[in-house]
Amino acid sequence: MTNLTGFVKRLRDIMRNDAGINGDAQRIEQIAWLLFLKVYDTKEQDWEFEDSDYRSVIPEPCRWRNWAHEENGKGMTGDALLSFVNNTLFPVLKGNDVKDPATGTLIPGVQVDPDTPIKKAIVKTTFEDANTYMKDGVLLRQVINHIDSLDLSDYEESHAFGEIYETILRELQSAGSSGEFYTPRAVTDFMAHMIQPKVGEQCADFACGTGGFLISWLKELEAKKKNAGDVEKIYNSVYGIEKKQFPYILCVTNMLLHDVDVPRIFYGNTLLRNLLDYTDDDKFEVILMNPPYGGNEKADVKNHFPADLASSETADLFMSVIMYRLKEKGRAAVILPDGFLFGTDNAKVAIKKKLFGEFNLHTVIRLPGSVFSPYTSITTNILFFDKTGVTKETWFYRLDMPEGYKHFSKTKPMKVEHFAPAVEWWNDRREITVDDAPKAKKYSAEDIAALGYNIDLCGFPHREEEILAPLDLIRRYEEERSSLNAEIDRVLADMSALLGEQAE
């Protein structure tokens, strides 16, 4: 068995010597498509064993086993390898026909149509916007050999690598801004556990990143399978959409590593579909998400939403999508920033009115500010709601920093056991007061309406001064300014109305 513990480090050490690689983001992206092809080739061996009529969508010269796998040191290397990758492999996988320079025969580009099975179509989708960066063919051969040494046909090694893959995903957080599509595994595991999955249900994430929520969902269901029929239902129970090519590759690979042979992971932007076009066929029993937040969408994206819900904040727009795509009796757990809770601009209030008026927002878990540190210091919350009727009451619970921790960090990340107090409270709900401030408290829908749908409740009363990264500081300032401006507008409108009545 390959020594997996230093897998990423060894790849990084090789690639540091390549002049074409500039920084961790490009290193990880280079590793991502190579890993995908290795994992996909291993899965194809299984599919060929199960179905003698199976035919790969990848032309033979471009299958991993025929160009990357090296027998007795006789594989392509140097300029020949670079030329093959740049001028044959990538064009073919992107769908272009290429003439083999050695034989003159035509290598057809990968083609898909609406009837192409998902497990084949993902190849072309994966490479549509993929990039290769290495300029040294000898170093590229070393990287390929290291990845090829993984014996993913061996159950133990494959399972171990599935866990090591988490390390690769965590590496994303140090790769520039890539942390935006990685949610700490402790958080996804907690949310999947509390949502109480059932075999046969479908779970969706409309901004799935590397697939963390979907993997946590699958792990929760593993303990509930009873027969082969359950196994098939579990592996067919996940659905994801991701608009960025890099995390999309990682997510598809993640699914294949976890035995999801038909990954219903789609490359695209959820927000580009008209909200009113969704039908019952587009809805799911369970939605688990950490929508992108802090960004603003263009006006043409907002045009896909009803006027009252057309926020310029990405997280708000995703919240509307979630509400439109949750089935009757369905359940959702969604991470949202503090700005959603205290925001009083028209769109945020309209979204929250819809949430309380058409859904049952039963629980809000306030998370410590450093859960996503050091990649962002924006404070977040988990909203648990279902489509079983209107909200009558909402419980708020503040999850404090565990004893011995001043804040979480890359070397001291949040662990699933840190959620133990929340789990204990969840199963025995009661109001809790600490230092004359509520830590857990129940509010009626009438209470919340009277607050103007400002649900910034049971927050952290003794926050220490934070030194934020410049972008986080700007985002927080924009959130608070927007909220303050909306409140001023509301007060002025009330005063104008009152003065108008007096004039009459």
Side-chain angles (χ1 to χ4, degrees):
M1 179 180 291
T2 306
N3 178 12
L4 296 174
T5 55
F7 182 82
V8 177
K9 181 180 183 300
R10 287 196 295 276
L11 289 176
R12 183 192 285 120
D13 288 345
I14 296 170
M15 297 169 81
R16 278 201 177 105
N17 295 314
D18 191 289
I21 300 289
N22 182 21
D24 269 346
Q26 289 187 354
R27 287 190 192 99
I28 299 294
E29 187 173 353
Q30 183 87 24
I31 293 169
W33 68 259
L34 287 166
L35 271 177
F36 169 81
L37 289 178
K38 167 66 177 177
V39 172
Y40 192 80
D41 191 67
T42 303
K43 298 303 294 186
E44 285 201 303
Q45 293 175 32
D46 294 338
W47 299 336
E48 289 166 344
F49 179 79
E50 296 164 0
D51 179 6
S52 59
D53 293 328
Y54 176 83
R55 295 292 179 270
S56 178
V57 72
I58 303 176
E60 284 299 317
C62 295
R63 299 181 77 181
W64 179 272
R65 66 192 70 175
N66 295 326
W67 69 270
H69 181 65
E70 187 176 51
E71 291 286 349
N72 303 318
K74 294 182 179 179
M76 283 188 292
T77 188
D79 291 342
L81 178 59
L82 277 182
S83 177
F84 173 79
V85 169
N86 293 329
N87 302 320
T88 300
L89 181 68
F90 262 66
V92 167
L93 296 182
K94 289 174 182 286
N96 301 305
D97 297 342
V98 173
K99 184 177 288 188
D100 188 329
T103 64
T105 58
L106 190 71
I107 303 175
V110 172
Q111 298 299 321
V112 301
D113 58 43
D115 296 324
T116 305
I118 291 175
K119 67 182 182 184
K120 292 186 176 183
I122 57 175
V123 173
K124 185 172 185 294
T125 312
T126 295
F127 278 86
E128 278 182 1
D129 294 319
N131 298 293
T132 180
Y133 299 103
M134 294 187 71
K135 293 183 177 180
D136 188 318
V138 174
L139 293 175
L140 176 58
R141 168 49 64 187
Q142 292 177 24
V143 170
I144 291 169
N145 286 351
H146 188 52
I147 291 174
D148 194 48
S149 68
L150 293 168
D151 184 6
L152 299 179
S153 62
D154 177 85
Y155 174 80
E156 289 188 8
E157 180 148 342
S158 179
H159 179 75
F161 186 71
E163 299 303 317
I164 293 297
Y165 196 71
E166 291 294 308
T167 302
I168 296 173
L169 301 186
R170 282 195 292 272
E171 291 290 324
L172 294 174
Q173 291 182 294
S174 61
S177 61
S178 300
E180 66 194 48
F181 43 75
Y182 181 86
T183 304
R185 194 59 63 240
V187 179
T188 63
D189 284 351
F190 168 74
M191 291 168 64
H193 178 69
M194 302 314 294
I195 211 74
Q196 298 181 342
K198 300 179 181 67
V199 174
E201 291 182 323
Q202 300 284 307
C203 176
D205 182 345
F206 306 125
C208 63
T210 57
F213 282 105
L214 303 179
I215 296 300
S216 292
W217 164 267
L218 292 171
K219 289 179 179 177
E220 279 293 314
L221 285 175
E222 273 292 309
K224 301 183 179 183
K225 64 184 180 185
K226 297 179 180 178
N227 51 51
D230 285 353
V231 172
E232 185 175 356
K233 288 177 182 176
I234 290 170
Y235 290 147
N236 291 327
S237 69
V238 295
Y239 174 96
I241 305 174
E242 174 53 45
K243 76 172 185 177
K244 295 186 177 182
Q245 182 72 14
F246 181 19
Y248 171 80
I249 296 176
L250 293 164
C251 184
V252 170
T253 307
N254 209 1
M255 295 300 118
L256 292 172
L257 279 169
H258 287 85
D259 295 322
V260 179
D261 287 351
V262 185
R264 290 192 300 155
I265 309 299
F266 299 95
Y267 180 41
N269 186 348
T270 296
L271 302 180
L272 294 182
R273 183 170 176 181
N274 194 309
L275 202 62
L276 301 180
D277 287 345
Y278 289 116
T279 68
D280 287 344
D281 292 338
D282 299 309
K283 297 180 180 181
F284 296 85
E285 288 95 348
V286 176
I287 297 173
L288 296 173
M289 279 195 72
N290 178 12
Y293 49 82
N296 292 322
E297 294 293 338
K298 297 178 181 178
D300 60 336
V301 172
K302 292 163 64 175
N303 291 337
H304 296 288
F305 292 77
D308 60 329
L309 305 178
S311 171
S312 59
E313 221 291 330
T314 310
D316 296 347
L317 297 176
F318 271 103
M319 192 62 186
S320 294
V321 172
I322 292 166
M323 291 191 289
Y324 271 82
R325 299 194 69 175
L326 189 64
K327 278 189 174 182
E328 292 294 331
K329 311 297 182 184
R331 311 181 304 287
V334 183
I335 297 176
L336 289 170
D338 276 5
F340 178 83
L341 270 59
F342 63 66
T344 55
D345 61 84
N346 291 339
K348 277 187 171 61
V349 170
I351 294 168
K352 286 186 277 191
K353 281 184 177 179
K354 184 177 179 67
L355 177 62
F356 280 90
E358 299 179 24
F359 299 81
N360 173 32
L361 176 63
H362 55 84
T363 310
V364 177
I365 303 292
R366 312 295 306 266
L367 296 178
S370 58
V371 169
F372 291 86
S373 288
Y375 313 104
T376 177
S377 299
I378 294 175
T379 310
T380 54
N381 314 270
I382 308 173
L383 277 63
F384 290 89
F385 57 95
D386 54 55
K387 198 171 184 181
T388 59
V390 303
T391 302
K392 295 180 180 177
E393 60 185 33
T394 302
W395 280 95
F396 291 78
Y397 176 84
R398 185 183 73 238
L399 181 65
D400 292 320
M401 196 66 66
E403 188 174 347
Y405 281 72
K406 185 176 181 181
H407 53 76
F408 298 117
S409 65
K410 187 176 181 179
T411 55
K412 291 181 66 177
M414 190 175 201
K415 301 176 181 178
V416 72
E417 53 262 34
H418 294 150
F419 280 101
V423 175
E424 181 182 358
W425 169 85
W426 185 290
N427 297 322
D428 181 22
R429 300 193 175 202
R430 63 197 186 282
E431 296 196 348
I432 304 171
T433 301
V434 177
D435 295 332
D436 298 323
K439 173 181 170 68
K441 188 175 175 62
K442 177 174 63 178
Y443 292 84
S444 69
E446 292 77 17
D447 293 335
I448 290 167
L451 292 169
Y453 293 93
N454 180 342
I455 53 174
D456 185 14
L457 305 168
C458 295
F460 296 83
H462 302 300
R463 291 176 178 164
E464 297 181 5
E465 183 178 353
E466 295 179 90
I467 300 177
L468 301 180
L471 281 177
D472 289 343
L473 184 62
I474 291 170
R475 287 168 183 165
R476 179 170 294 184
Y477 170 74
E478 288 175 342
E479 286 180 349
E480 293 179 354
R481 184 180 66 177
S482 176
S483 180
L484 181 59
N485 286 342
E487 182 65 17
I488 292 171
D489 290 344
R490 186 187 65 78
V491 171
L492 289 175
D494 289 346
M495 292 174 62
S496 298
L498 182 62
L499 291 172
E501 290 174 4
Q502 291 177 348
E504 292 174 1

